[in-house]
Amino acid sequence: MTKTNNPRQLAVETLTKIEQGAYSSLQLNQVIQNSQIDERDVNLLTNIVYGVLQHKLTLTAQIKPFIKNPKKVQPWVIELLKTAVYQLEYLNRIPKRAVFNETINIAKHLGHDGIRKMVTGILHQMDRSGLMNPAHIKDPLERLVMEYSVPKWIIEQLIEQVGIDKTTTILASLNQPAKQSVRINTALIDRDTLIDQLTAEGYQVEPSPLAADGLILTGRSANAAKEFKTGELTIQDESAMLPVETMPIKPDQLILDACSAPGGKTTQIAEQLSLQHSGQVVALDLHESRLKQVVKNAKRMHLNDYITTKALDARKLDQVYADETFNQILVDAPCSGLGLMRRKPEIRYEKTSQDIEQLATIQLAILNAIAPKLKVGGQLTYSTCTIIDQENHDVLVAFLAQHPEFKLVPIKLAHVSSASGELRIYPDDFDSDGFFVANLVKTEASAS
């Protein structure tokens, strides 16, 4: 790939690397940092990259009839054609002539004359023949797959669990732009002062309708704010703030964050301990390298005095910790991440139903391992960033069947509550990530 500041070409290059395994958010951030493009072009680049990822199944089906030998076509050419169709179908303000000209020029710039001619021919053939319209698909399930570009197995699971109407509103929400949410570091700054400072810097700021310490920012990238650099705010989805909000954090508590990296919830716990000038959160992760990000975030937010990191598989706690060591335990369990499909659209194409089964098994093993380590009277907070019952509700049912010493307790937060003790946030509820939170209190010692 060649050096360029053309946002459409950068989108093609970014999408090609994502198809080869790169993470969308990391790859896009790297491209933006390494190029010299203005805010308007950053917005177009971001729109095209996420738009193509969100509509991947649909776009792939739409270009398929026009490519005779797809195996002989270079991957970047496929991505180029997807970007062209995305702009034609979903970005109404861009004239067709401009899309054609830009696409043909990129084909010429990245390839040779033969590729330019092929791309030119395909675009004109599309223009003459028209593109597949998902609304014309007769099978209702296939129509949903193509209309919202979500794999059939996920749609089937959602319909079974929440019904067709709720599933349709969830699917419709997934292809909308993700909000930019941040959490106030209340250990360093109060809400009103932070809002005033961000407004003065050119941000439009709104309070989160979901999280008590959440703000929604528009106008600029949140990581460009000086308050991000000084640790007075951190970037975190509103739903992801809820698990720690449900924790009754008190002075001198020793709290375990069993699956901590990259550390958003760890720093949220440490912030509450800092306000009380006592206590410690032990942050576990399988990999030392991932814990470096936890430490980096903690230092940026001036909370590292309240955090201890340890590279350890949470299923092996017996090797290090005695029973009834911790006052509270947070298990933000490894899961498919299907609640993040708006923010990380490639997740929907990567995960399988087999992955769900394996992750549910891992989650239950973690919960079983941490159960004896919680003190009697302590709270276990269990959360996942998914919207599939097999990875949250079903795991919880299995855990409670094996551990009668734990009891679900109601959740009551500033903006949401759950009398049952199981809080579900779907992506369409607040236009945030999908999340599940459950609170359990240990009423007696675990059986040995």
Side-chain angles (χ1 to χ4, degrees):
M1 299 295 178
T2 55
K3 186 73 174 174
T4 183
N5 286 321
N6 181 331
R8 290 176 174 85
Q9 182 175 324
L10 288 171
V12 172
E13 295 175 359
T14 303
L15 287 162
T16 303
K17 289 180 179 176
I18 292 168
E19 281 294 309
Q20 294 166 349
Y23 290 109
S24 59
S25 56
L26 297 178
Q27 185 61 41
L28 185 59
N29 288 339
Q30 183 179 332
V31 169
I32 291 169
Q33 289 169 8
N34 293 342
S35 61
Q36 303 293 321
I37 58 176
D38 60 27
E39 193 73 24
R40 183 178 175 183
D41 283 342
V42 168
N43 291 337
L44 178 60
L45 165 63
T46 303
N47 187 325
I48 293 175
V49 168
Y50 280 110
V52 169
L53 289 173
Q54 287 170 337
H55 298 279
K56 176 181 171 179
L57 294 181
T58 313
L59 297 172
T60 300
Q62 288 175 316
I63 68 173
K64 185 178 179 180
F66 304 100
I67 302 175
K68 293 178 181 177
N69 297 304
K71 291 184 179 179
K72 293 184 178 180
V73 179
Q74 294 183 54
W76 68 264
V77 178
I78 300 293
E79 299 309 313
L80 174 63
L81 291 170
K82 288 182 196 171
T83 65
V85 175
Y86 172 70
Q87 292 172 80
L88 292 169
E89 293 285 280
Y90 299 99
L91 300 184
N92 298 328
R93 294 183 180 179
I94 302 178
K96 179 170 64 177
R97 174 176 45 82
V99 174
F100 277 34
N101 289 341
E102 285 283 350
T103 304
I104 292 166
N105 286 335
I106 292 169
K108 181 180 179 181
H109 195 217
L110 292 180
H112 49 70
D113 201 49
I115 291 177
R116 179 190 64 79
K117 289 179 180 177
M118 180 188 73
V119 168
T120 302
I122 288 173
L123 290 174
H124 287 297
Q125 192 179 353
M126 286 177 179
D127 194 32
R128 288 192 301 271
S129 306
L131 295 165
M132 180 273 295
N133 186 342
H136 295 161
I137 297 172
K138 292 182 179 180
D139 181 85
L141 193 56
E142 286 296 335
R143 186 165 60 247
L144 288 174
V145 170
M146 281 300 144
E147 193 168 355
Y148 298 111
S149 192
V150 174
K152 184 186 292 186
W153 75 268
I154 297 175
I155 297 176
E156 289 174 331
Q157 289 290 331
L158 287 172
I159 291 173
E160 182 181 328
Q161 293 170 16
V162 300
I164 184 65
D165 291 342
K166 179 67 173 175
T167 296
T168 303
T169 60
I170 290 171
L171 295 174
S173 76
L174 294 178
N175 293 334
Q176 300 303 311
K179 291 187 290 185
Q180 182 174 231
S181 59
V182 300
R183 192 185 82 242
I184 306 163
N185 182 357
T186 56
L188 295 182
I189 194 168
D190 66 81
R191 170 187 290 268
D192 291 342
T193 302
L194 179 60
I195 290 174
D196 288 344
Q197 290 179 189
L198 290 169
T199 303
E201 290 179 53
Y203 290 94
Q204 291 83 54
V205 187
E206 295 179 13
S208 166
L210 180 58
D213 292 326
L215 298 174
I216 309 300
L217 305 188
T218 52
R220 298 174 59 205
S221 296
N223 60 7
K226 66 179 179 63
E227 290 81 5
F228 175 79
K229 298 175 177 64
T230 57
E232 291 166 320
L233 65 79
T234 193
I235 299 168
Q236 188 177 23
D237 187 80
E238 300 159 88
S239 297
M241 302 178 202
L242 299 182
V244 176
E245 284 190 17
T246 71
M247 298 173 68
I249 297 170
K250 298 174 183 176
D252 296 317
Q253 286 191 336
L254 181 63
I255 300 172
L256 175 67
D257 185 351
C259 311
S260 65
K265 297 175 187 65
T266 306
T267 57
Q268 195 176 359
I269 295 169
E271 176 189 322
Q272 295 304 309
L273 295 173
S274 172
L275 289 168
Q276 301 175 66
H277 307 291
S278 66
Q280 193 78 189
V281 54
V282 177
L284 300 187
D285 198 83
L286 267 172
H287 305 290
E288 191 73 55
S289 58
R290 284 171 55 81
L291 287 171
K292 290 179 181 177
Q293 187 62 44
V294 178
V295 173
K296 182 179 178 182
N297 280 330
K299 288 182 177 177
R300 177 177 60 83
M301 299 181 74
H302 307 276
L303 296 168
N304 43 304
D305 287 347
Y306 297 91
I307 298 172
T308 301
T309 60
K310 191 167 191 63
L312 180 68
D313 185 333
R315 291 169 291 184
K316 300 178 180 178
L317 281 173
D318 261 337
Q319 297 178 3
V320 180
Y321 297 104
D323 288 355
E324 299 193 22
T325 295
F326 299 99
N327 300 99
Q328 292 195 67
I329 297 178
L330 169 64
V331 178
D332 186 43
C335 69
S336 64
L338 291 178
L340 313 179
M341 285 188 279
R342 179 193 288 115
R343 195 175 301 280
K344 298 180 179 179
E346 67 269 31
I347 282 175
R348 67 183 85 177
Y349 314 117
E350 296 170 352
K351 301 300 179 183
T352 67
S353 55
Q354 289 76 27
D355 292 330
I356 304 298
E357 293 172 11
Q358 292 170 0
L359 287 161
T361 300
I362 292 170
Q363 288 186 26
L364 185 57
I366 291 172
L367 291 172
N368 285 335
I370 63 95
K373 310 307 170 188
L374 184 65
K375 291 182 178 181
V376 174
Q379 179 171 298
L380 164 60
T381 301
Y382 163 55
S383 62
T384 64
C385 55
T386 188
I387 51 176
I388 300 293
D389 282 354
Q390 291 93 317
E391 293 183 275
N392 42 56
H393 172 76
D394 294 354
V395 173
L396 186 61
V397 169
F399 174 75
L400 288 170
Q402 297 175 33
H403 294 274
E405 73 274 21
F406 282 86
K407 304 294 182 187
L408 276 165
V409 293
I411 293 172
K412 187 170 178 57
L413 299 175
H415 303 295
V416 288
S417 61
S418 168
S420 72
E422 294 182 56
L423 178 64
R424 290 175 177 82
I425 304 294
Y426 290 100
D428 61 317
D429 292 339
F430 295 90
D431 293 326
S432 64
D433 290 345
F435 238 85
F436 175 92
V437 187
N439 283 347
L440 305 97
V441 168
K442 188 174 183 179
T443 59
E444 58 186 79
S446 297
S448 57

